[in-house]
Amino acid sequence: MSGLLLMDYGLTGKNLKFAAIESMFWHFSFNKQNPLAEELVTGRVETFLTHFFQGMRTGVGENISDDELAEFVRLFSRPQVLHAGFELYRTETQDEADNAKFQETPLTIPVRMLTQAGLAETVLPPLQDAAPHATSADVPGAGHFLLHEAPDRVVAEINAFYPHPTA
């Protein structure tokens, strides 16, 4: 079965503009600053990631452990990983323009969006601009880090969306 399963990010394009969501979290604007973001964070990755994870707390889900933070710090201390993380945000304007053009031809494959608790109905309309029959679901008790905070629920959703063929 073909289909597209997305997790926890509104699809910018035709009716959702990045400018409308950019102010929701401090890191959206900060991460776009090139080369300033890398210059300020290099050598301070632990401080940056600690504030990032604290800023993403929504009152639901669980904190990352000290061991998990140490692993993120190890990975993001590599300049190419840090740069790639920031680049994700720097492409938003182009992504929005590309998505608006792609939305002229709606997707016909099944599309499903999983979101943190309370956001499913907010992210569904912009997604339906691209895929009119798209569906969404909240992951109860989870914040932004769905796979970390509710792995069993996410795996169940993936398995339901992409059922295993019977033998």
Side-chain angles (χ1 to χ4, degrees):
M1 171 185 184
S2 66
L4 176 62
L5 187 127
L6 305 165
M7 285 193 271
D8 210 41
Y9 191 79
L11 182 68
T12 59
K14 185 174 164 186
N15 289 313
L16 178 61
K17 304 301 180 193
F18 184 68
I21 60 175
E22 185 173 11
S23 64
M24 291 176 67
F25 296 102
W26 64 271
H27 69 278
F28 282 10
S29 295
F30 177 81
N31 291 358
K32 288 172 44 177
Q33 304 308 309
N34 188 10
L36 183 62
E38 279 100 331
E39 291 174 358
L40 292 175
V41 173
T42 298
R44 298 174 192 88
V45 172
E46 184 172 1
T47 300
F48 172 74
L49 289 177
T50 298
H51 287 282
F52 171 77
F53 286 124
Q54 288 172 349
M56 293 301 295
R57 298 287 302 140
T58 59
V60 296
E62 61 185 58
N63 289 321
I64 65 167
S65 71
D66 290 343
D67 288 343
E68 291 165 328
L69 177 61
E71 179 63 6
F72 279 112
V73 169
R74 184 185 74 79
L75 293 171
F76 278 88
S77 291
R78 297 167 58 195
Q80 67 273 28
V81 175
L82 186 63
H83 179 75
F86 289 133
E87 283 297 305
L88 176 68
Y89 296 87
R90 293 173 182 153
T91 63
E92 272 301 327
T93 303
Q94 187 61 53
D95 292 346
E96 180 181 304
D98 291 344
N99 289 343
K101 183 163 180 60
F102 293 140
Q103 288 170 334
E104 293 172 9
T105 307
L107 293 174
T108 57
I109 60 172
V111 176
R112 183 148 179 88
M113 170 73 80
L114 301 180
T115 70
Q116 61 185 286
L119 284 184
E121 294 307 313
T122 301
V123 299
L124 185 59
L127 181 58
Q128 288 176 329
D129 289 337
H133 302 291
T135 60
S136 63
D138 289 330
V139 177
H144 180 62
F145 304 103
L146 303 176
L147 286 170
H148 173 75
E149 298 170 9
D152 293 339
R153 172 66 189 269
V154 171
V155 169
E157 286 278 350
I158 291 169
N159 286 336
F161 189 73
Y162 299 108
H164 299 288
T166 56

